[in-house]
Amino acid sequence: MSFTDAPVTKALVLGLVGLSIAASVFDIKHYFYISIGTHFLRYGQLWRMLTYQLCYTNSSEVLFGAMSLYHMRMVERFWGSRKYVSFILLAGLFTAIIPPIFLTVVLRPLSFGVLDYIPAGPTPILFAILAQYHAMIPQIYKYKVALSANTPSNASDDTSGFIFSDKSTRYLMALQLALFQWPGSLLGAVIGWAVGYLWRNDLLPAAVARWRVPGWVVGLRAQKRNDRFDGIRRRLEDEGASTGVATGAQPAAEGEGNRRRPLGQQLIDEVRGAF
């Protein structure tokens, strides 16, 4: 149980915890949530769409958010760091824009201004990742929580209860995040899951789904360059060897080397060869 082969997940967990602590220590929590009527309509602070997912504002959400990211690190291991960070950036962009606009244009007018608040935290991004985790990672085992203490008389008897799997705790933690500050947090969770589902099923524009960050962002630039130079070196060596065999250039080069040796050295070599 570690962050092996999951450097992006490790950076996300450390960044989430660090930024959440910093927001609390420096008393700047009020910059990381959105009130549509106050921040958008009155003061025009549209920049909050880009900041409200950077951190949580209470310790319980930080704990559940960090644990959810950690348990879903298998997605990065399946995809690789480059594809994973590309998906997170795209999901973060969509979930930064869609929930505030949907709340402003649709839900707030329909609720007569009651629904006006979007809490801080990357819950939408977590649910976009959860959609990939749900589709990619299989269940390892299932278990039943019985509703009664009666033991069945034989193996064919079935007791009433709830069936869970090893993935159920991940879903329960995510559900808790969605309900911490609902309905705003629930709106973000639903839209995040929808973005992840659309991306998973290739329902987004092809150019968007195929976009990837540059390799150097996740440390792939040096490795790619070394592999390219190694490939060129091997190809040149193979071509040189085949050319030498076909044209006899290698023996000629050896003869040329003999002619370039001093006369005295050539005579000594000839005498050694005779004996």
Side-chain angles (χ1 to χ4, degrees), residues 76-249:
E76 181 181 359
R77 291 177 177 173
F78 270 87
W79 279 353
S81 297
R82 185 182 183 189
K83 183 177 180 180
Y84 186 64
V85 74
S86 302
F87 169 74
I88 288 176
L89 291 176
L90 287 174
L93 179 62
F94 282 115
T95 54
I97 297 173
I98 297 176
I101 292 179
F102 186 75
L103 183 60
T104 303
V105 176
V106 180
L107 295 183
R108 189 173 185 272
L110 291 178
S111 64
F112 300 100
V114 175
L115 299 179
D116 184 70
Y117 178 75
I118 296 180
T123 299
I125 298 177
L126 286 173
F127 269 81
I129 301 173
L130 185 65
Q132 315 309 314
Y133 178 84
H134 173 74
M136 294 170 55
I137 309 301
Q139 299 175 354
I140 298 177
Y141 59 87
K142 294 182 178 180
Y143 58 93
K144 177 182 286 188
V145 178
L147 298 179
S148 62
N150 297 329
T151 303
S153 58
N154 54 63
S156 62
D157 291 339
D158 208 4
T159 59
S160 59
F162 298 101
I163 298 177
F164 298 95
S165 71
D166 59 299
K167 298 170 63 176
S168 298
T169 53
R170 281 69 164 170
Y171 299 137
L172 291 175
M173 285 190 294
L175 179 63
Q176 183 65 41
L177 282 173
L179 298 178
F180 261 125
Q181 300 190 55
W182 78 288
S185 57
L186 183 60
L187 172 65
V190 172
I191 293 178
W193 181 279
V195 169
Y197 178 85
L198 294 175
W199 195 92
R200 179 74 184 176
N201 292 275
D202 296 326
L203 298 178
L204 295 176
V208 174
R210 290 197 301 264
W211 177 81
R212 298 291 184 271
V213 298
W216 58 264
V217 174
V218 291
L220 296 179
R221 184 178 182 180
Q223 181 179 359
K224 183 178 180 181
R225 178 178 295 178
N226 292 336
D227 293 342
R228 181 175 59 188
F229 285 146
D230 289 341
I232 293 174
R233 178 180 56 79
R234 288 192 297 268
R235 186 168 65 252
L236 290 176
E237 290 176 352
D238 294 339
E239 291 177 356
S242 61
T243 303
V245 172
T247 63

Side-chain angles (χ1 to χ4, degrees), residues 24-97:
S24 178
V25 170
F26 294 104
D27 195 20
I28 54 174
K29 293 181 179 180
H30 53 280
Y31 290 116
F32 296 100
Y33 69 89
I34 297 175
S35 175
I36 301 299
T38 303
H39 299 142
F40 283 4
L41 301 182
R42 181 177 300 178
Y43 296 108
Q45 297 178 350
L46 300 180
W47 53 265
R48 287 179 179 266
M49 289 192 295
L50 301 177
T51 61
Y52 83 94
Q53 295 187 94
L54 293 179
C55 67
Y56 286 111
T57 55
N58 64 71
S59 58
S60 298
E61 289 178 313
V62 174
L63 174 63
F64 280 90
M67 291 176 61
S68 297
L69 283 171
Y70 176 77
H71 286 302
M72 293 188 292
R73 68 194 184 281
M74 294 300 298
V75 177
E76 181 181 359
R77 291 177 177 173
F78 270 87
W79 279 353
S81 297
R82 185 182 183 189
K83 183 177 180 180
Y84 186 64
V85 74
S86 302
F87 169 74
I88 288 176
L89 291 176
L90 287 174
L93 179 62
F94 282 115
T95 54
I97 297 173

